[in-house]
Amino acid sequence: AFPKRVKVVEVGPRDGLQNEKNVVPTPVKINLINMLSETGLPVIEATSFVSPKWVPQMADHAEVMRGINKLPGISYPVLTPNLKGFQAAVAAGAKEVAIFGAASELFTKKNINCSIDESLERFSEVMTAARAASIPVRGYVSCVLGCPYEGKISTAKVAEVSKKMYSMGCYEISLGDTIGIGTPGSMKEMLTAVMKEVPVGALAVHCHDTYGQALANILVALQMGVSVVDASVAGLGGCPYAQGASGNVATEDLVYMLNGLGIHTGVDLQKLMDTGTFICNALNRRTNSKVSQASCRL
Amino acid sequence: MGTVPSALKHCLSYQHLLKEQLWIGEPAAPPPPAAPYPGQESQESGLPEYIKIVEVGPRDGLQNEKVIIPTDIKIELINRLSKTGLPAIEVTSFVSSKRVPQMADHKEVMRGIERHPGVQYPVLTPNLQGFHSAIAAGATEVSVFGAASESFSKMNINCSIEESIGKFEEVAKSARNMNIPVRGYVSCALGCPYEGKITPAKVAEVSKRLYSMGCYEISLGDTIGVGTPGSMKRMLEAVMKEIPLSALAVHCHDTYGQALANILTAIQMGVAVVDSSVAGLGGCPYARGATGNVATEDVIYMLNGLGINTGVNLYTVMEAGNFICTALNKKTNSKVAQASFNTGTIS
């Protein structure tokens, strides 16, 4: 059967905004995160401490981190690709960080210009510092159901990288279908392999809706016992590998499904939709959430 | 995810990836005979080995599009769909042109299309008059549309459920005399735009009436797309007590993005017939600007990924979708098509 509760990890302000064409000013980002904090979401990924040369959309990371309301009971993790980023994050008040691995050598090379093993070495520096500061670290594994460069990814590789990151000390591993190419078939196979190495309670799924498969893939993950799901308000964040295609699954649509299944999330769908409306206006774009589209009597 | 160089827009290997995927290529074995028989779920996963896709784009799709397209374009669309491997294509509707102007050319369309062997071309016939007209135009299969909601029945066809069943029985009787198969639809199976919640018991009751009168298949429609895997399961459990699984189909709308998850739930319960619409044609008349039918391309992509045989070549469906969207001057509602066509030519 299904888990009774699901933790929804909101990645809109980071993964979403990072992959949007239009950049929004710092006050808008802060307002977005503050609005999300009122919806009942337990985790909101706030920003990314990477070099502004690489990711200009996240250049204001320190201001955002310092500017947001931090409500008790809500986590505001930030991305930290290396020790430098980690230190900057902590200095700006971060209490949780995230590191990004991949199940594909070619993707890692193209993305951060090193091998998977080298990337894990970099992360181990972050892990050591995080442990010393009692800061929890979440691990992401990209390309778990396919890679834009390598194509098919073996489930064994996904399990291997996940295991390494879990053993390093990540409290949770978020498995990302980076190009949305997975289906319930490949999701099931991949999770079966990973669940041999990492306890299901430490697993999350991060599905992209590029091929419309996200909710079906998430359904299968839930059926297998996964109880943490990443999503992005209004489905913010297109796919960098397929021009014009969508990326992240919309939080509204996910919550609608979970509500229908009687699964507790603690999230107020109406407040969430209002937040989506706000950020879409600011970005001057239509929502990617079908629930929002349907509920809006134009 | 991660730090993606913003310059990256096209990726040669991505094209290569698309070709490697199961879905690019010829259909597997030719489809087995029309009705899947019970016990066909011999896949390890417990899912059906074969799923029949009923393409409703030319009827349900076009009927709910703002732009009315010329007869020759409709015929071209149906002819293209006939070459994709789709086993059933709902062609048109023999209703009064006053009520449904988009389907006014039903006779011309019926007479004008190519009829491929092994492909069914059902048409809607709301009453005996429509039925006779359909037969005269060459139809060899018809459909009747019931609803699980009194209010919807009243608003849609201006009579109660009981009265509508009476009309359908006349059609079913004539059809039986002529050996014409009849498919039954039940609208509002997971919710009604007027009544809201619909009880599974009511859906089961109406389905049973249609099945008893001789409909060979009952297509359960989530007319406003409000259903979720939870309500889909409960509804199917109730209906499956009255109707054999092999006679059931699901017709899911994607208005709330739930269609594929709902379809997956249905096929996990053994349903082996799924309705869909090329390019996701057909918006929702009850939620302005919202989407309606689930896109055939996206359904096939999922079924291919599950190793389920459909006999349909996804690529040719995408091409047909591209054709009709160009004619309608609109963007596709299929995410698979969006993701594929926007990366440039597929060669």
Side-chain angles (χ1 to χ4, degrees), chain B residues 23-83:
Chain B
W23 58 268
I24 288 281
E26 296 73 45
Y37 49 87
Q40 201 163 345
E41 319 92 45
S42 38
Q43 262 211 21
E44 247 176 53
S45 53
L47 299 171
E49 269 197 353
Y50 169 76
I51 284 185
K52 177 175 95 172
I53 305 237
V54 175
E55 171 59 48
V56 301
R59 204 284 307 167
D60 193 2
L62 292 183
Q63 180 170 320
N64 287 298
E65 285 290 332
K66 277 183 283 220
V67 179
I68 298 187
I69 59 169
T71 307
D72 58 338
I73 304 250
K74 285 181 190 167
I75 289 172
E76 167 82 26
L77 170 64
I78 294 164
N79 290 345
R80 281 172 183 250
L81 291 169
S82 288
K83 299 189 178 98

Side-chain angles (χ1 to χ4, degrees), chain B residues 227-244:
Chain B
T228 63
S231 56
M232 172 64 85
K233 182 160 196 251
R234 285 190 293 274
M235 184 274 293
L236 283 177
E237 275 167 353
V239 176
M240 277 160 61
K241 290 195 181 113
E242 309 289 346
I243 315 258

Side-chain angles (χ1 to χ4, degrees), chain A residues 14-15 18-19 50 54-55 79 100 110-112 140-142 147-152 176 178-186 206 208-213 215-216 219-220 223 240-246 253 256-257 260-261 286 288 290-291 293-298, chain B residues 1-6 8-15 17-18 20-21 23 45 225-231 233-234 254-258 260-262 264-265 268 286-291 293 297-299 301-306 331 333 335-336 338-340 342-343:
Chain A
R14 204 283 308 166
D15 193 3
Q18 180 171 318
N19 288 299
V50 289
W54 273 111
V55 187
L79 251 66
F100 255 84
K110 296 264 190 183
N111 225 23
I112 51 178
Y140 282 92
V141 182
S142 305
C147 169
Y149 307 102
E150 284 187 19
K152 229 169 134 61
T178 306
I179 45 174
I181 211 152
T183 63
S186 56
H206 183 115
H208 278 199
D209 203 38
T210 318
Y211 290 80
Q213 309 293 305
L215 284 188
L219 187 69
V220 163
Q223 288 173 336
Y241 305 98
Q243 212 176 356
S246 59
D253 300 0
Y256 185 90
M257 182 173 82
L261 282 163
R286 282 189 70 190
N288 265 339
K290 289 213 164 171
V291 169
Q293 255 173 273
S295 311
C296 178
R297 301 272 181 271
L298 297 152
Chain B
M1 299 187 66
T3 51
V4 176
S6 52
L8 183 64
K9 285 293 174 196
H10 290 280
C11 178
L12 261 161
S13 297
Y14 184 59
Q15 297 299 318
L17 167 73
L18 296 184
E20 272 177 13
Q21 288 296 311
W23 58 268
S45 53
V226 282
T228 63
S231 56
K233 182 160 196 251
R234 285 190 293 274
D254 204 38
T255 318
Y256 289 79
Q258 309 295 305
L260 284 189
N262 292 343
L264 180 63
T265 300
Q268 284 178 341
Y286 305 97
R288 199 140 47 118
T291 57
N293 286 301
E297 298 91 317
D298 300 0
V299 173
Y301 186 90
M302 180 173 80
L303 297 180
N304 284 353
L306 282 163
K331 272 188 78 183
N333 269 335
K335 288 214 163 169
V336 170
Q338 254 174 273
S340 310
N342 278 323
T343 51

Side-chain angles (χ1 to χ4, degrees), chain B residues 6 46 48 65 94-95 111 135 173 180 197 264 268 284 317:
Chain B
S6 52
E65 285 290 332
F94 282 78
V95 288
R111 292 204 192 100
I135 298 300
K173 195 159 167 226
I180 300 264
K197 239 168 128 59
L264 180 63
Q268 284 178 341
C284 180
V317 176

Side-chain angles (χ1 to χ4, degrees), chain A residues 260-284:
Chain A
L261 282 163
I263 294 175
H264 181 260
T265 61
V267 179
D268 181 323
L269 183 52
Q270 186 56 57
K271 287 192 178 147
L272 188 59
M273 288 198 288
D274 293 342
T275 309
T277 303
F278 161 75
I279 191 61
C280 286
N281 285 340
L283 282 165
N284 193 27

